[in-house]
């Protein structure tokens, strides 16, 4: 019976067209790979199509299409959604730049997607938010994510909202960055006691795939956290340990940290902004009463299992560095 149901679901999925806004990024690339295995047709909508061509070989010939769309341009969003059975919005920015403002992307852009999905009778919508999304958040990022959730649910009440903690995987900007920093002899640590629950990108992708085919996930909000909680300092130390690097980690005193962050934020491609520093003042872990991976029968992947598969590149002699 289970086999029959699985085949039935796969046949239904195979008839679908799924549009992924932001499908060329870190999470999107993994999601395309997972979705392609279900047989659905995939439309990846991004601002710069040339930057997302790497996703096309992840499916069969012609299965993955890349189109241009900008959440700030309603007509391009409408064109990307046209004919879709399901829509996934992964678009988000951690720091503002040019026209990519928090409100424009996380709130207004998310509202545009949700409203058009409702208007165009899309069957299901999955919206990627973030842990810490709260209209009363001290950070502009958190506030915009909170307003975005409200706007999405108002326009499309059956949308599935996902709130992941920080996400790790081969192309992440988390442990890769920590490993790069560990190459320096001394590494300052800002807000090192803040706790995170890093979740594997493959687990996040699996949740999204499930959300497209399981009706009971519609209208629900899921907080996605990994198998273990770490402090920020522990994550930095873990990256260094796996990379076989031995820097000295020095905690930056709380009364100095804001000033240090201010000057760092002035650098090109700033490693941290003042708004991100505000986010660091609150732990980023799932709530005890929230729906999560376990409720979906997904066992969270432990970071220590995955990190060695890609942080090995930072070891002094790469994969040839002795283990002991």
């Amino acid at each position: 019976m289970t086999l029959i149901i699985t085949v039935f679901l796969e046949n239904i999925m195979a008839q679908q067209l799924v549009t992924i806004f932001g499908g060329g990024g870190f999470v999107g690339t993994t999601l395309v790979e997972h979705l392609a295995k279900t047989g659905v047709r995939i439309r990846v909508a991004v601002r710069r199509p040339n930057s997302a061509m790497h996703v096309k070989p992840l499916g069969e010939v012609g299965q993955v299409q890349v189109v241009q769309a900008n959440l700030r341009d309603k007509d391009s969003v409408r064109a990307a959604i046209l004919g879709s059975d399901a829509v996934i919005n992964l678009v988000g920015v951690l720091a503002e730049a040019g026209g990519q403002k928090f409100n424009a992307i996380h709130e207004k852009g998310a509202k545009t997607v949700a409203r058009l999905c409702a208007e165009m009778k899309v069957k299901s919508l999955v919206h990627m938010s973030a842990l810490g999304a709260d209209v009363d958040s001290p950070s502009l990022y958190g506030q915009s994510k909170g307003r975005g959730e409200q706007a999405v649910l108002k326009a499309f009440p059956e949308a599935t909202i996902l709130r992941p903690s920080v996400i790790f995987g081969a192309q992440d900007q988390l442990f890769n960055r920590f490993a790069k920093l560990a190459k320096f002899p001394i590494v300052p640590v800002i807000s090192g006691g803040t706790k995170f629950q890093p979740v594997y990108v493959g687990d996040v992708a699996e949740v999204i795939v499930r959300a497209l085919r399981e009706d009971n996930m519609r209208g629900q909000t899921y907080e996605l956290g990994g198998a273990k909680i770490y402090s920020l300092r522990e994550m930095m130390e873990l990256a260094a340990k796996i990379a076989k690097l031995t820097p000295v980690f020095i905690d930056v005193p709380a009364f100095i940290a804001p000033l240090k962050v201010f000057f760092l934020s002035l650098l090109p491609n700033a490693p941290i902004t003042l708004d991100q520093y505000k986010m660091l003042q609150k732990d980023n872990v799932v709530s005890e009463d929230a729906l999560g991976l376990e409720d979906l029968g997904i066992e969270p992947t432990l970071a220590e299992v995955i990190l060695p598969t890609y942080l090995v590149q930072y070891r002094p002699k790469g994969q040839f560095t002795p283990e002991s």
Side-chain angles (χ1 to χ4, degrees):
M1 178 62 72
T2 301
L3 178 60
I4 294 175
I5 293 175
T6 301
V7 171
F8 176 70
L9 289 173
E10 288 180 350
N11 287 336
I12 293 177
M13 292 286 283
Q15 300 169 15
Q16 291 187 340
L17 170 61
V18 179
T19 291
I20 310 173
F21 287 96
F26 166 48
V27 176
T29 299
T30 301
L31 175 59
V32 169
E33 187 173 12
H34 279 63
L35 272 176
K37 294 176 182 178
T38 70
V40 300
R41 292 178 295 132
I42 302 167
R43 180 182 291 158
V44 174
V46 293
R47 285 193 302 147
R48 300 184 179 88
N50 287 341
S51 68
M53 290 302 172
H54 63 278
V55 302
K56 290 179 70 67
L58 298 178
E60 299 294 334
V61 176
Q63 185 182 10
V64 182
Q65 175 191 18
V66 179
V67 300
Q68 195 281 332
N70 188 326
L71 295 196
R72 293 181 283 123
D73 180 353
K74 186 176 181 179
D75 289 338
S76 71
V77 175
R78 183 188 299 276
I81 294 175
L82 185 65
S84 299
D85 297 285
V87 170
I88 302 160
N89 182 13
L90 301 178
V91 181
V93 292
L94 286 173
E96 296 183 323
Q100 297 294 90
K101 304 297 185 182
F102 292 141
N103 286 342
I105 303 303
H106 300 157
E107 181 181 3
K108 294 179 181 178
K111 181 191 297 184
T112 296
V113 171
R115 282 183 172 177
L116 288 174
C117 282
E119 176 186 317
M120 301 171 76
K121 308 300 182 184
V122 171
K123 296 176 183 176
S124 58
L125 170 63
V126 179
H127 175 73
M128 180 69 80
S129 185
L131 273 185
D134 186 346
V135 294
D136 295 320
S137 170
S139 77
L140 296 177
Y141 172 89
Q143 292 171 22
S144 64
K145 281 289 190 178
R147 290 193 297 269
E149 287 187 10
Q150 292 180 344
V152 168
L153 291 174
K154 182 177 181 180
F156 201 109
E158 290 194 342
T160 302
I161 306 293
L162 304 183
R163 293 178 173 177
S165 183
V166 291
I167 303 175
F168 70 90
Q171 303 302 319
D172 69 41
Q173 293 297 313
L174 180 69
F175 286 103
N176 277 297
R177 175 171 291 186
F178 292 157
K180 290 176 183 177
L181 286 173
K183 288 181 175 291
F184 292 96
I186 298 177
V187 178
V189 181
I190 296 173
S191 300
T194 303
K195 291 181 170 53
F196 293 85
Q197 197 168 349
V199 59
Y200 179 47
V201 65
D203 293 340
V204 174
E206 177 60 24
V207 171
I208 298 174
V209 172
R210 294 271 292 273
L212 297 184
R213 69 189 187 197
E214 297 183 13
D215 290 344
N216 63 343
M217 292 182 65
R218 295 184 181 182
Q220 301 289 347
T221 295
Y222 292 84
E223 295 190 357
L224 309 181
K228 187 176 178 181
I229 295 174
Y230 309 79
S231 69
L232 178 61
R233 183 187 178 104
E234 287 172 340
M235 289 196 298
M236 297 176 74
E237 292 174 340
L238 178 60
K241 178 181 178 181
I242 292 174
K244 304 294 183 181
L245 300 170
T246 57
V248 175
F249 292 97
I250 299 179
D251 291 304
V252 177
F255 68 92
I256 295 178
L259 183 62
K260 184 176 182 66
V261 170
F262 171 75
F263 285 109
L264 287 173
S265 68
L266 299 177
L267 298 173
N269 299 316
I272 187 172
T273 66
L274 285 170
D275 195 67
Q276 290 167 355
Y277 175 70
K278 291 178 181 178
M279 292 165 58
L280 286 174
Q281 304 315 299
K282 185 177 180 180
D283 291 340
N284 195 261
V285 299
V286 301
S287 307
E288 290 185 3
D289 58 347
L291 293 172
L293 294 178
E294 291 82 358
D295 297 284
L296 298 172
I298 299 174
E299 184 177 353
T301 303
L302 189 65
E304 283 86 346
V305 173
I306 301 297
L307 295 181
T309 65
Y310 63 97
L311 294 187
V312 64
Q313 64 183 305
Y314 300 103
R315 294 179 178 179
K317 296 182 180 179
Q319 61 180 317
F320 301 107
T321 303
E323 288 296 333
S324 57

